[in-house]
Each structure stands twice: as structure tokens, then as C-alpha cells.
Amino acid sequence: MPHTPDTYEDDDLDRIPAPKPVHYAEQALLGALLLEPQRLAETGTLDAGHFDSHTHAALFTAIRAVPPPDPDDHAKDTTWLNAVLEQARPHAPGLSASYIHALIQFCPQSKHAAAYTRLIRADHARRTLSRHAERLARTATDPTLPNPAATVLAEADALGRLLDDLAGQFAPHPGSLPRTPPPAAVTYRSSEEDLDEERLLLATATAYPAEVQQMRWLTAEDFTLPLHAALWQSVTALVHRGDMVDPVTVLGEAQHRGLLTDSLTPKDLMALVSTPAGSPEYWGERILQRALLARAHAVADRITAYTDDPANTPHQLITGSRRALAELNSLRTRWNRATAPAPSPAARPQARPATAPRAGPPNRPALTAARAHR
């Protein structure tokens, strides 16, 4: 009676992934080297780490380790092939003599060994770039890091160095930009803690506007809530114009910007900017760091989308990834400005003392009194 395949057997077969193109490139290269060992010189700096298959990597290592045979002797017997098999088998127990001979049959043209090598190196570059992007994304969302911004930027630097290295290995060509559609933007779900930090920034900025003058490194796009971003623009507009800043004047600016609605009354808005705590710089850095981490994760997602698309050439991956990384570097510049240590008193230029008005001694700035109650 003929055997009827069980449903579960069919399911198991369906779940077996088809070999990737690089699998056949590795087979072809190994077949070429087993057939004509002298072509090993055509592989350049290729090493076992470039192979996707562990078995293929072990076999390539063995081919490099066993001294090449005399071409005439190699054409007559399998002595060298047996030596390669014995060298590789401890590292790849499943390797067999039949697979060695099958690889030779799989090779279309042994004289194309250099072309097979380039295909293997290209796929290795894709996999390596994908791992770096995955590491960047994981770091950007790790809540246990003591200094998340510095760690993320270090990962970004490592990714940049990888791209520089790959750029030296693969020649540019026309159409260097990936045609991969960018991934859909992930809507950041702000927590109540995130929103509280933004509210506290708005309140402290209203209370201490003089400090806002030095916070040009923070922009509206760094906020998670559009209303808070618009209110930050209202406060900074008053500060940069040199106008008076307090809850009432912020309310007036917000009114002119069309921010008042049925759900945001004047009373609500004034209450939002009337409860300061801490300093604007502190809350601003917290918000900017969160924006930096979110941008890093978005960059990682974009690079992953490029590496997941097999249609992209190595040079397209390099160009697209560099452009994505540049978006993070622009935010890095603002982060460095925000966190740069203040110059020491000795390094600061000596300011000329202000001339006192004739009516009496100069008034002490209101900011001093305000800080005394913080």
C-alpha cells in the first residue's frame, strides 16, 4: 500500500527554509578549490569567517591548512581530498567524502572562483551590517544602561567604522542608493514619566527664561507630544524676542499660535506652565536623550530594512546606511552641545564691569532671587 504523507510531515517540509543564494556561491567556490587547489590564490583575503555555513567554513579552513598537491598527482588520485576531509571532519562531523565529491560537481566553472569569492564577501558584508544594526537597536531600548546616550553613540561609531571599512572593499557603481522602501515610522508611545518631564521643562523654562537662551540645542521635534512641542516654541519665541516670560505671556503667545481649544482652556495652560521644579537644562537633557535613543532605533530599523532586501548591492547598503547614520549624527551634535562641560572660570574671558546708573547701584537680577527659592 503506498505511503500517504502525514499532514505533520508536510508541515515540517514546508518549514525548511530554501537555501540562500550565498549557499550556492559557497558550494561553487569550494568545488573549484577542491578541483583546482591552486585557485586558492584567487580568493584574496577571504577567510572562514566570511562563510555563512559552518561546514563550508570548516572545509575552507582545511583547504588552506593542507599543503596544495602537485596538479598532475591531484588529477590521478584522491590523496589530497582525503587529507582535506580528515582535517575538516573534527570541526564539521557531518562532512562526508560524498559531499566533497558533490561539491566538485556543483561547481559550474572553476575558473570563476574569484567571482564566487566576491559573492561570498558581499553576503558577509550584508550579515555583518545587519548584526551591527540589530545591536544598535537593542542598545537604544536597553533600560538597564547607566549611560544610554554614550553607549548608543559608541555603537553608532562602531557602525560608522564598519561602513568605512566596507567602502574600501566594494567599488561604487551607478544607482548607489537603495530602492528599498523605508520602514513605516514607529509611533513612539510616550509614558507618563516622559510627559511629566516635558511638563516640568515647560514650567521651569517659564520660571527661569534666562536659562532657555542657552538651550538652542533643544528643538520642538524632540518632544513626544505635539502640544508640548508647540508650547516650547511659544516659550522660546518670547525668550528670543526679549519679551517678558511668565504664565500669562506664555498664554498670550499660545493663543496667537492657535493652541487653545475646548480641551485646553486658558486655565489649564497656565496651570501646566506654573509648577516649576529643578532646572530647564536638566529636563531638557532628559528629553534630548530620549529623542537621541528614539532616533538611533529608527536608524537601526532603516538599515535593517536595507540589509533584509537581497536586491541591494553592497555599495547600495553602504550608501543608504551612511545616509541613515547621518540623521543620528545631526542629533549627536546637539547632544554634545547640551552636555559639554562649562568652561572653567580661568578660561572664561573677563567681562568689562557694567557702568552703574547715576540713580544708584545696579539692581540685582531677578533670576538670582528666583533661584534662591528653587
Side-chain angles (χ1 to χ4, degrees), residues 64-104:
R64 295 181 62 179
V66 178
D70 179 84
D72 293 335
D73 293 340
H74 184 56
K76 298 175 184 178
D77 58 49
T78 61
T79 302
W80 184 78
L81 295 179
N82 294 336
V84 168
L85 178 60
E86 291 305 312
Q87 178 77 19
R89 187 169 280 164
H91 308 284
L95 192 61
S96 64
S98 61
Y99 189 63
I100 293 288
H101 291 282
L103 288 174
I104 297 175

Side-chain angles (χ1 to χ4, degrees), residues 125 241 253 350:
R241 290 200 306 260
E253 183 70 19
Q350 295 295 323

Side-chain angles (χ1 to χ4, degrees), residues 174-196:
S176 58
L177 288 177
R179 293 185 294 273
T180 307
V186 178
T187 303
Y188 181 82
R189 299 187 63 180
S190 49
S191 65
E192 193 59 34
E193 180 182 0
D194 298 335
L195 297 178
D196 279 343

Side-chain angles (χ1 to χ4, degrees), residues 125-180:
R126 181 189 310 278
R127 298 194 308 272
T128 305
L129 186 56
S130 178
R131 286 196 296 270
H132 273 74
E134 179 184 355
R135 198 153 51 235
L136 178 62
R138 188 168 58 248
T139 304
T141 55
D142 187 350
T144 65
L145 297 175
N147 193 341
T151 309
V152 161
L153 292 177
E155 288 292 344
D157 288 338
L159 199 155
R161 289 191 295 271
L162 170 66
L163 292 173
D164 290 341
D165 180 61
L166 294 178
Q169 300 178 29
F170 298 94
H173 56 78
S176 58
L177 288 177
R179 293 185 294 273
T180 307

